[in-house]
C-alpha cells in the first residue's frame, strides 16, 4: 500500500482511470457484438447505424489511448468485411 500522500493520490488516479478505460472497452465490445449480430441476421436496416456507432467508438478509444490505432483499424476492417 502507498505510504506518501502523492503515492496515495496516484493510486486513486490509477484506479479511476482503470475503471474508465474498462468501461470504454466494454462499450466498444458491445457495439461490435451488435454489428456482428445484425450482419449474421442480414438486417441491413440495423447494420448501417450499428456499424457507424462501432466505427465512432473505435476512433474515440484510439483518441483516448484506450486501444492502439492499429487495433482500431483491425476492428473496423473486420466489421466492414463482415458487413459486406
Amino acid at each position: 500500500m502507498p505510504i506518501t500522500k502523492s503515492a496515495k493520490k496516484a493510486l486513486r488516479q490509477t484506479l479511476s482511470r482503470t475503471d474508465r478505460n474498462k468501461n470504454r472497452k466494454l462499450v466498444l465490445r458491445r457495439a461490435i457484438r451488435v454489428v456482428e449480430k445484425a450482419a449474421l441476421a442480414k438486417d441491413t436496416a440495423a447494420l448501417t447505424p450499428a456499424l457507424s456507432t462501432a466505427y465512432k467508438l473505435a476512433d474515440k478509444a484510439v483518441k483516448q489511448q484506450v486501444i492502439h490505432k492499429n487495433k482500431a483499424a483491425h476492428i473496423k476492417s473486420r466489421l466492414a468485411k463482415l458487413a459486406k
Side-chain angles (χ1 to χ4, degrees):
M1 288 302 298
I3 306 292
T4 62
K5 188 175 179 182
S6 61
K8 289 177 184 176
K9 180 180 178 182
L11 178 64
R12 287 194 310 269
Q13 287 177 325
T14 300
L15 292 175
S16 66
R17 287 175 183 158
T18 300
D19 288 342
R20 197 178 316 135
N21 289 340
K22 279 185 181 179
N23 186 45
R24 288 173 179 155
K25 281 187 180 183
L26 181 66
V27 169
L28 177 60
R29 281 196 299 263
R30 285 180 180 161
I32 290 169
R33 280 191 217 119
V34 169
V35 172
E36 289 171 345
K37 188 176 179 181
L40 292 176
K42 300 188 187 228
D43 184 6
T44 55
L47 182 62
T48 305
L51 192 61
S52 176
T53 303
Y55 276 27
K56 180 179 171 184
L57 289 171
D59 289 337
K60 276 192 174 185
V62 170
K63 187 176 181 183
Q64 295 160 341
Q65 297 182 348
V66 176
I67 62 173
H68 194 272
K69 64 180 183 177
N70 289 352
K71 179 170 182 165
H74 179 82
I75 289 169
K76 289 161 60 172
S77 171
R78 186 171 60 86
L79 292 178
K81 184 178 176 183
L82 187 66
K84 188 178 178 185

